[in-house]
Structure formats: structure tokens, C-alpha cells
């Protein structure tokens, strides 16, 4: 496949890719340097003035997944290089990066992983039909006919990771339960990776997001962007590929050769190679501009603190000028094109979001009730540690949280997407799901701290149950308040993300040309902190913010979605509660589960750290299924590599390799059938022995007996030992059997037939009634083992 990439990405195209990447990244860096000063000013102003939001009622965990992993297990992964499925061990740490090893033993020994998968920008699919639709959309001129298979899967339960620019990843599992669990785990990895920009960075993150938005608006791309996901380097690379990808596709796709599926596969490899080149160059340019901005940050910050009042006064003066010019047009646009649709957008957002947060509440309630029942029935505090250890990781259990996430996936913005230029609701879905996970973890952490505090004063079983129920009610009330606050903020932000780009696009023809004249009113010393484009967007936001706040307030008054009114503010309801959040994490298993307190893991070797690491999702155990060999390699050809079926000859069976579709077929592949070709002497040939000279008086078998019952003593040597096993499962015993070279016993045999025997651990036995003493040597040569009679001797 490397030849395909090198053939289509020659030196001229690589030069074109480098120039295009440098141009786009350079223009972005110019926007980033402009927005860095504005973001730094806003950060310092926020630090001085405050403007903090309402205080949360629930506690927030600082390191929720410390010394924990998400999931691990074996998957069949498709290798594009040799078209084989390899059984590999996958491990997902707390950073949600998917690591894979050749075997579980390699992981246990602390070896470096075979590779790592960053799931940012991927979509998780569980059917080949969904995958084929996305493939056809990537190359519209190379659509494959319906019903054609792009890939031959090892089982009927595939899991596919699709990316618009990067390489696609193919996996298979053995059961539907495995598929559901891995699908939830991969979705959680994608969800976490897409939320890659750190929110605690008050300068770099706003500067980066504003620079991306300004660049895309300069290219007349308004509205939400699905590829605003991953790290800053990945997002910048996606920005480059948004322009570069269609151009290269038009240049390269007409030159691709082969069948439609083969051309699609080649284009995926070429696109992935281009994506990697772009990422390497973008990383270098982005790191350079960040270093320049950080180097100039101290004098800028000093100037801001010194001239803060003058900068604010100058900004307000410019804002008033722009407001007088823009506000009449903006209000007219709001009244005509926005107000009639605000309630519709809000209703579409509120229904699935509120159902999702209600499901979070129900899942939390059920888990606490189940914990109380088990603790009472199984021995009080002795079992409390075990159950609380599981509940403490509830928010990060993708399978248990799946019912909550599915509620949000029901979001539909049909009709509104085209009008307001919303590419897809995925941006809002994933953001709401992240908020659900945060609120669940806050509720669980608050319950942990309160229960631990209560247990220090009482250890009775009945008191434990009563305290748990009382704390559960307190936490649920706090959750209702916090979830209401979080949802209202989410609704306001979502409405702004939908409406503001639409208004900017509407107002651009009449306002953009007049904006440069306002730049002349800004002092040169303040020009790095005040930008006319940013003030223009702030004015547009102010023109519609009143209607958005009113719509959310009316929705809270209706109480249809369990939202609290803005007038209901809970302050200092638990003045000592937030002091509990400063304490260390609770090790429930060691304190209440009867286990020994483990030493600090910082000084432990990596193998011991991995052994002690706790996993959020339990491992999958297949009942009645023997463990597959770690080094197994199952070869399954792709569509164009599958030979066409031919008419089988009479008395023979076709030998077209097929992929196993069930557990039983995979078991049959582990214990393959070997065809043993044998030779039987002709009817007129003299009687044969097992290699010894006939003794006087010894009678030979008649021709009729030899013809009716050919015994192994009459066999020469198998002319060939072949096994029809294209799965790649290869046992060491079978490799030895294939390498053996047996010696012939007699001369000039006449092959007349063949016999089939089953290979079991490298041993071949042929059942026949012969004299044990005369047939001993023959059986030793065929089976390679010593008979019990020889052992006795």
C-alpha cells in the first residue's frame, strides 16, 4: 500500500500540500496573535472584577480517575498491510487514548504499546451498511453498488472507526454483548477526545477558538463546525484539510485505478498520508506562534494592569459608536428572522436534554438503592467498600451511562439546520453528554463524602441504611438545583451558537464594509486589546441576548422540564460541605472492604502499578469459550481479493477460504482437519510387510482381503500432508507435523486412494486390525509417538 501512496503523492503534490498548509496555518497564526491580546485583556479584567456565577451545591472531584483505567480486553483488528485479522489486547487508560499490544502478556510486562489511537473526530459504527454510506460520500464518483461488501469481517459483530481524513480502523468481536460494550467504550473515547480544549485555560483556549471562528468567517463559513474537535493541532489540521481535501480529491481520484472498492481503499490511504503530513507541519507552526505569544505576554499583561481603566473607557467609547450604527439593523434582523424561531429551537433542545439529565438522576438513585440492599443483606460495612468502590466510578462507566447518553442522541433540528446553517446536532449532543457525566460524578462524589463523614460516627447496620437514604435525598435535591443551572446555561450557549453566526451572515453585507473606519478611533497603544471585529460581534450578541434570556426564563416558569426559576438561589445551605471537597480521595475497599491499605503507587514499578490499577468497566468473560491464542492471525481477504467461485468437480469440494461466522467455526479452525493421502498396492503386487523380511511359514494376506480391508501395514508413506486452514490460527504441534519428512517403507507404490484423519495435537492414528508386533514401526513413523507396548518394553 505504500507504493500506492508514493505513486500518487509525488514531489510536486507534496510541495503543493506543504505550500497550502503553510498558507492556511500562517493566516490562522495571524488571527491567533490578534486574539491573544484580546483574550489576555479579558482574562485580567475577569480576575480583577470577578463576575462569578452562582455557587454550585455539589462537590467537584479534582482527579476522578486517579489510578484507574476505563476498560481493557481483546479485539480482532484488521491489518490493512496483509489483509489479516489479528487478536490484540486493547487498554484504555484514564486519558481515553486507546493503546493496543500484541498480547496481554506484553502489557503485564510493562512493554511499550504496539500503537495508540486518538479517537478525536471519529465516528463509531457497528454495521458495514453504515460504513459503506460514509465511504460512498467521501468519493461521490466511486459509489459501490448496494449489497457489495467493502470488507470481509471475521465475525458478524464489527466495530468500525470512521474518520473523514484519517485512516479507518476495523475491529471484530465474538458476541453481541461484547459489541455493545466496546461500542459504548469507543463512543466515550470519542466524546472525551473531541472535548480536547482545556476549559481552565483562560487565555489560550479563547484565543484559539476565536481565531478559528474568525478565519472560517473570513472564508464565509458560518455556523457550527463538526471538526472543531481534538487538540489545537488536530483542529488546525482539520481547518487545513477542509480546503485541501476536496482539491486533492479532484486531482487524484481520476488517476486511481482498479475496481471501485480498490480505488476507495487507495483514496483512504492517500488521505491518511496527507493528514499526517499536514499535522506535522501544523504542529510546528502552532507551537512557534504560541511561543511567540507567551514570550510577549509579560509586557502585555503589565501594560493591561497599568492602563486597565483607560482601556475599558476606550473600548466603551468605540462600542457606543458601533452600537449606534449596528443596533437598528440587528434589531430588525432579530425581529424578522430570529424571534419566530427561538421557541422552536429551545423546545428541540430542551426535551432530549432534560430527559437525559432525568435519566442521570434515575441511574444514580437506582445504584444507591441497590447498594443499600446489598450492604444490608450481605453484612453491612463489610460489603460497603466493595459496592462504594463501584459507585465511585459510575459517571465514567460508559455502559451504565449509555441510557443517559442515548436520550440526548434523540436531538433533532430538522428544518432549523438548513435555515441557521447548522451542519449537524453532534456538537450539542456531545457537549450535553459531557455535562451529564460531570453532574453524575459531582453527585456521586458528594454522596461519598457525606456518607464517609456519617460512617465515622456510627457503624450500625440500621444506622447505615438510614444515613444512606437521608444523604441520598440531600444529594438528589442538590443535583436538581445544579442540573437546572447547568441546563439553562447550556440552552443559552446553544442558542447563541445557532443564532449569532446566522445574524453575522445576514448583517455582513451592510455592516462589514463600514467597520474599518471605527479602527481609526482606537489608540495605537490599545490596539492589541481592542478589535473592531470583536466589538461588532458583542453588539450583535447584545441585540439578541435579551430575547434568549426571556425564552429560557419562560421555559423555567412552565416547569415542564424541572427547571428552577432564576429567583431561586440556594446559598450556604451546607456551609461546611465544601470543606469536605478539599480532603483526599476515599479508598473504600481498603477502609471498609476488609482489604489491606495499599502503599503509595508512585514508587512501585510499572508492572505492579498496572496490576493494582482498578478498571471502571468489568472484563468480558465468554462462557464455554476457550481462550484464543494471543498470536493468532486470521486471514480474511477483502472483496477484490476473494476468488470467484467455480463449479466444483464431481466428488470434490470447493476449497474457497471463508471467514468464521460463529464461535463454533472458530473452534473448528483451532482443531483443523488434515487430509492424508495414502497409497495401496495393486491387486497383483506381492504382499508387503511393515519393512521387515517375511519369516518362513508366515502367510501373506489374500488379494481379496487386501482389496476389501486395506490395513495401514500396507501403506507406504503419505505423499503429502495438507490442511485447509486459512484462518491463521496455527498451533506449534501442527507446525512440527508439517515439517516432518517421513521416509518411504517400500518401493514402487501404486497410489489408488486417500484416507482422511483428524489432527489432534500433532498426532495421527489410523484404526485398523493388524498384528501389533508387525505394525509397530509403521505406527511410529506415521504418528511420531511411542506405543504403550514399547513403553512397557
Amino acid at each position: 500500500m505504500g507504493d500506492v501512496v508514493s505513486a500518487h503523492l509525488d514531489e510536486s503534490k507534496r510541495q503543493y500540500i506543504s505550500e497550502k498548509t503553510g498558507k492556511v496555518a500562517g493566516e490562522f497564526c495571524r488571527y491567533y496573535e490578534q486574539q491573544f491580546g484580546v483574550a489576555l485583556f479579558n482574562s485580567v479584567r475577569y480576575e480583577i472584577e470577578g463576575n462569578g456565577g452562582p455557587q454550585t451545591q455539589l462537590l467537584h472531584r479534582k482527579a476522578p480517575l486517579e489510578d484507574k483505567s476505563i476498560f481493557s480486553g481483546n479485539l480482532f483488528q484488521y491489518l490493512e498491510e496483509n489483509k489479516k485479522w489479528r487478536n490484540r489486547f486493547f487498554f484504555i487508560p484514564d486519558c481515553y487514548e486507546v493503546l493496543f499490544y500484541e498480547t496481554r502478556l506484553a502489557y503485564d510486562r510493562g512493554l511499550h504499546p504496539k500503537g495508540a489511537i486518538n479517537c478525536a473526530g471519529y465516528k463509531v459504527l457497528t454495521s458495514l451498511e453504515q460504513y459503506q454510506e460514509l465511504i460512498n460520500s467521501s468519493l461521490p464518483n466511486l459509489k459501490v453498488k448496494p449489497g457489495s461488501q467493502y470488507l470481509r469481517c471475521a465475525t458478524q459483530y464489527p466495530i468500525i472507526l470512521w474518520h473523514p481524513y484519517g485512516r479507518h480502523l476495523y475491529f471484530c468481536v465474538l458476541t453481541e454483548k461484547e459489541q455493545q460494550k466496546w461500542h459504548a467504550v469507543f463512543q466515550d473515547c470519542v466524546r472525551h477526545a473531541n472535548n480536547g480544549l482545556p476549559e481552565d485555560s483562560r487565555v489560550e483556549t479563547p484565543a484559539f477558538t476565536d481565531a478559528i471562528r474568525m478565519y472560517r468567517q473570513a472564508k464565509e463559513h458560518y455556523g457550527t463546525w463538526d471538526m472543531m474537535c481534538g487538540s489545537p493541532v488536530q483542529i488546525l489540521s482539520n481547518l487545513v484539510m477542509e480546503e485541501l481535501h476536496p482539491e486533492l480529491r479532484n486531482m487524484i481520484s481520476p488517476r486511481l485505478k482498479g475496481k471501485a472498492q480498490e480505488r476507495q481503499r487507495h483514496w483512504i490511504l492517500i488521505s491518511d498520508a496527507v493528514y499526517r503530513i499536514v499535522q506535522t507541519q501544523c504542529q510546528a507552526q502552532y507551537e512557534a506562534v504560541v511561543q511567540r505569544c507567551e514570550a510577549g505576554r509579560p509586557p502585555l499583561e503589565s501594560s493591561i494592569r497599568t492602563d486597565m481603566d483607560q482601556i475599558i473607557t476606550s473600548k466603551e467609547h468605540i462600542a457606543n459608536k458601533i452600537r449606534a450604527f449596528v443596533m437598528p439593523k440587528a434589531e430588525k434582523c432579530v425581529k424578522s428572522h430570529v424571534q419566530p424561531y427561538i421557541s422552536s429551537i429551545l423546545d428541540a433542545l430542551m426535551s432530549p436534554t432534560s430527559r437525559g439529565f432525568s435519566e442521570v438522576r434515575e441511574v444514580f438513585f437506582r445504584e444507591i438503592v441497590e447498594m443499600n440492599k446489598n450492604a444490608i443483606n450481605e453484612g453491612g460495612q463489610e460489603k460497603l467498600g466493595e459496592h462504594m468502590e463501584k459507585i465511585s466510578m459510575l459517571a465514567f462507566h460508559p455502559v451504565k451511562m449509555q441510557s443517559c447518553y442515548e436520550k440526548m442522541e434523540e436531538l433533532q433540528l430538522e428544518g432549523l439546520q438548513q435555515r441557521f446553517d447548522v451542519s449537524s446536532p453532534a456538537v450539542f449532543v456531545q457537549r450535553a453528554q459531557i455535562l451529564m457525566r460531570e453532574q453524575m460524578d459531582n453527585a456521586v462524589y458528594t454522596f461519598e463524602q457525606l456518607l464517609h463523614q456519617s460512617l465515622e460516627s456510627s457503624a450500625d447496620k440500621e444506622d447505615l441504611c438510614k444515613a444512606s437514604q437521608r444523604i441520598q435525598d440531600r444529594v438528589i435535591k442538590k443535583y436538581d438545583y445544579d442540573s437546572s443551572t447547568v441546563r439553562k446555561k447550556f440552552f443559552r450557549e446553544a442558542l447563541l451558537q445557532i443564532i449569532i453566526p446566522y445574524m453575522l451572515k445576514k448583517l455582513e453585507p451592510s455592516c462589514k464594509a463600514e467597520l474599518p473606519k471605527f479602527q481609526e478611533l482606537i489608540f495605537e497603544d490599545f490596539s492589541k486589546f481592542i478589535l473592531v471585529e470583536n466589538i461588532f460581534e458583542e453588539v450583535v450578541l447584545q441585540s439578541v441576548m435579551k430575547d434568549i434570556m426571556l425564552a429560557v426564563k419562560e421555559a423555567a416558569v412552565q416547569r415542564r422540564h424541572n427547571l428552577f426559576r432564576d429567583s431561586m438561589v440556594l446559598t450556604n445551605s451546607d456551609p461546611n460541605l465544601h470543606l469536605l471537597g478539599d480532603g483526599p480521595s476515599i479508598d473504600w475497599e481498603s477502609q471498609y472492604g476488609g482489604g489491606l491499605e495499599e502503599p503509595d503507587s508512585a514508587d512501585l514499578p510499572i508492572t505492579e502499578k498496572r496490576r493494582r490499577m482498578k478498571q471502571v468497566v468489568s472484563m468480558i468473560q465468554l462462557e464455554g469459550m476457550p481462550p484464543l491464542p494471543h498470536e493468532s492471525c486470521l486471514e480474511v481477504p477483502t472483496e477484490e481479493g476473494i476468488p470467484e467461485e467455480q463449479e466444483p468437480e464431481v466428488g470434490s469440494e470447493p476449497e474457497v477460504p471463508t471467514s468464521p461466522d460463529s464461535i463454533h467455526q472458530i473452534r473448528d479452525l483451532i482443531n483443523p482437519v488434515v487430509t492424508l493421502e495414502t497409497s495401496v498396492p495393486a491387486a497383483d503386487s506381492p504382499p508387503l510387510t511393515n519393512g521387515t523380511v517375511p519369516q518362513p511359514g508366515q502367510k501373506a494376506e489374500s488379494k481379496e482381503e487386501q482389496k476389501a480391508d486395506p490395513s495401514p501395514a500396507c501403506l507406504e508413506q503419505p505423499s503429502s500432508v495438507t490442511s485447509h486452514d486459512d484462518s491463521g490460527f496455527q498451533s506449534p504441534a501442527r507446525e512440527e507435523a508439517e515439517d516432518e519428512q517421513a521416509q518411504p517403507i517400500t518401493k514402487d507404490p501404486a497410489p489408488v486412494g486417500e484416507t482422511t484423519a483428524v489432527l489432534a495435537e500433532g498426532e495421527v492414528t489410523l484404526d485398523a486390525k493388524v498384528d501389533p508386533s508387525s505394525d509397530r514401526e509403521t505406527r511410529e513413523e506415521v504418528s511420531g509417538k511411542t506405543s504403550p507396548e514399547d513403553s512397557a518394553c
Side-chain angles (χ1 to χ4, degrees), residues 612-671:
R612 294 172 180 264
M613 188 174 292
K614 299 172 183 177
Q615 185 168 272
V616 176
V617 186
S618 59
M619 296 282 288
I620 299 174
Q621 301 294 338
L622 298 178
E623 298 181 0
M625 178 62 188
L628 293 173
H630 293 299
E631 305 297 339
S632 63
C633 197
L634 182 62
E635 184 173 2
V636 180
T638 50
E639 182 68 22
E640 56 272 17
I642 301 175
E644 297 182 0
E645 296 185 1
Q646 299 178 356
E647 292 295 330
E649 299 179 0
V650 179
S652 64
E653 295 182 358
E655 296 187 358
V656 179
T658 58
S659 61
D661 294 327
S662 66
I663 295 177
H664 301 288
Q665 294 184 13
I666 294 179
R667 290 177 181 169
D668 294 338
L669 291 172
I670 299 176
N671 297 318

Side-chain angles (χ1 to χ4, degrees), residues 87-223:
N87 185 26
R88 283 175 166 169
F89 178 77
F90 285 76
F91 174 75
I92 295 94
D94 57 351
C95 63
Y96 287 89
E97 187 177 32
V98 182
L99 308 177
F100 57 90
Y101 300 78
E102 285 294 342
T103 63
R104 173 62 188 263
L105 185 61
Y107 165 77
D108 292 336
R109 289 178 176 176
L111 302 180
H112 290 289
K114 186 75 173 179
I117 302 172
N118 187 308
C119 294
Y122 276 95
K123 289 184 179 180
V124 187
L125 310 173
T126 55
S127 71
L128 292 175
E129 290 75 15
Q130 296 174 336
Y131 178 65
Q132 192 63 61
E133 291 179 2
L134 293 175
I135 290 294
N136 290 338
S137 63
S138 64
L139 281 175
N141 300 329
L142 296 176
K143 292 185 178 181
V144 179
K145 296 180 180 179
S148 301
Q149 288 188 354
Y150 179 86
L151 183 72
R152 289 286 299 276
C153 293
T155 70
Q156 57 180 333
Y157 303 108
I159 301 173
I160 302 173
L161 298 184
W162 177 89
H163 196 280
Y165 309 132
R167 176 172 293 196
H168 304 169
L169 303 168
Y170 315 97
F171 308 98
C172 276
V173 291
L174 299 178
T175 64
E176 185 177 2
K177 181 180 179 181
E178 274 189 294
Q179 186 187 41
Q180 294 173 354
K181 185 170 289 190
W182 276 106
H183 179 253
V185 170
F186 277 127
Q187 277 192 321
D188 218 25
C189 294
V190 172
R191 192 179 299 115
H192 182 87
N194 286 350
N195 193 37
L197 297 177
E199 297 181 357
D200 55 350
S201 178
R202 297 186 178 275
V203 179
E204 290 79 5
T205 297
F208 182 84
T209 55
D210 290 345
I212 291 287
R213 190 183 69 254
M214 291 295 182
Y215 177 88
R216 298 190 75 246
Q217 289 179 2
K219 302 295 183 180
E220 298 184 356
H221 295 301
Y222 295 85

Side-chain angles (χ1 to χ4, degrees), residues 460-477:
D460 186 73
K461 184 186 297 187
E462 295 183 359
D463 293 341
L464 170 63
C465 182
K466 292 180 181 178
S468 177
Q469 292 178 353
R470 184 174 62 255
I471 294 171
Q472 172 186 294
D473 294 338
R474 289 176 60 188
V475 171
I476 285 181
K477 289 180 181 179

